[in-house]
Amino acid sequence: MYVDADRKSFVVNSIGYVESKYDHFDDVPHSHGNRSWVEDASTVVLYPEHARGIEGLDGYSHIIVLYWIHKSDEWKMPKHHHRPPNVKVFATRMPVRPNPIGLSVVEILDFSSDKGRLLVKGLDALNGTPILDIKPYIPNFDSYPEASLPEWVGRHLKEHHHEHHQSDS
């Protein structure tokens, strides 16, 4: 088997950005049971050359948004974080990563391909976050109800009221 040992670099150009009421991680309410980060609406604004790329989203309830976590260096690990010490970056969804790429499944509330704007619910991205890509969410391909989680993750989700509801992303 051939393995390319050279490290690769890539140039990725954003296709737009996020308009959100949260400018910094500290702006996002994180109190026990607070779901505003995923319940709030935000807007994905596409650059004019990509605006028409959302034509055909009629009928989809959700999309997958890939974005660059441009302020990941501002994020600080909470003192009383639930992550066990042996759990490292690739076993978490934390924003500080070798390549700070974020992914959110969001509900489409409204969109206009003429204006290149999508009003969405559930996008956990800050104001000005660069958008890398948008893909339609297709339950047959993107949902695995039989998927399992480590016990510590399940406990954290339950303790912090992150149970999945039908309207959640």
Side-chain angles (χ1 to χ4, degrees):
M1 177 168 88
Y2 173 76
V3 177
D4 184 356
D6 294 337
R7 291 180 182 241
K8 303 290 183 193
S9 293
F10 303 92
V11 174
V12 178
N13 297 305
S14 64
I15 62 169
Y17 58 92
V18 174
E19 287 181 350
S20 166
K21 67 182 183 180
Y22 303 118
D23 289 312
H24 303 282
F25 288 106
D26 291 343
D27 296 341
V28 181
H30 289 292
S31 62
H32 184 75
N34 189 313
R35 297 182 50 81
S36 64
W37 185 262
V38 296
E39 293 294 332
D40 286 342
S42 55
T43 302
V44 172
V45 180
L46 298 175
Y47 297 129
E49 65 270 25
H50 299 293
R52 292 275 191 218
I54 58 176
E55 288 180 0
L57 283 180
D58 296 310
Y60 287 103
S61 65
H62 291 73
I63 55 174
I64 300 167
V65 179
L66 296 163
Y67 51 94
W68 192 262
I69 307 171
H70 69 302
K71 293 187 177 182
S72 64
D73 59 333
E74 291 183 2
W75 191 80
K76 304 284 187 275
M77 176 70 80
K79 285 183 181 180
H80 302 291
H81 196 269
H82 62 278
R83 177 181 59 105
N86 65 323
V87 173
K88 304 303 180 201
V89 67
F90 298 124
T92 73
R93 300 284 293 260
M94 293 179 195
V96 179
R97 323 186 64 76
N99 291 305
I101 298 171
L103 176 148
S104 289
V105 176
V106 300
E107 182 180 359
I108 301 170
L109 301 177
D110 195 17
F111 73 95
S112 166
S113 57
D114 292 334
K115 297 178 182 178
R117 298 174 68 87
L118 296 108
L119 182 64
V120 299
K121 182 172 90 170
L123 182 58
D124 56 345
L126 299 173
N127 192 47
T129 296
I131 299 297
L132 302 178
D133 201 0
I134 295 170
K135 299 176 184 294
Y137 178 87
I138 302 173
N140 301 50
F141 302 145
D142 301 320
S143 178
Y144 295 90
E146 73 281 3
S148 62
L149 300 170
E151 182 182 323
W152 68 269
V153 174
R155 186 172 52 250
H156 171 77
L157 294 174
K158 185 173 182 163
E159 288 171 1
H160 295 278
H161 304 285
H162 293 296
E163 296 89 1
H164 184 74
H165 300 289
Q166 193 64 22
S167 64
D168 288 351
S169 53

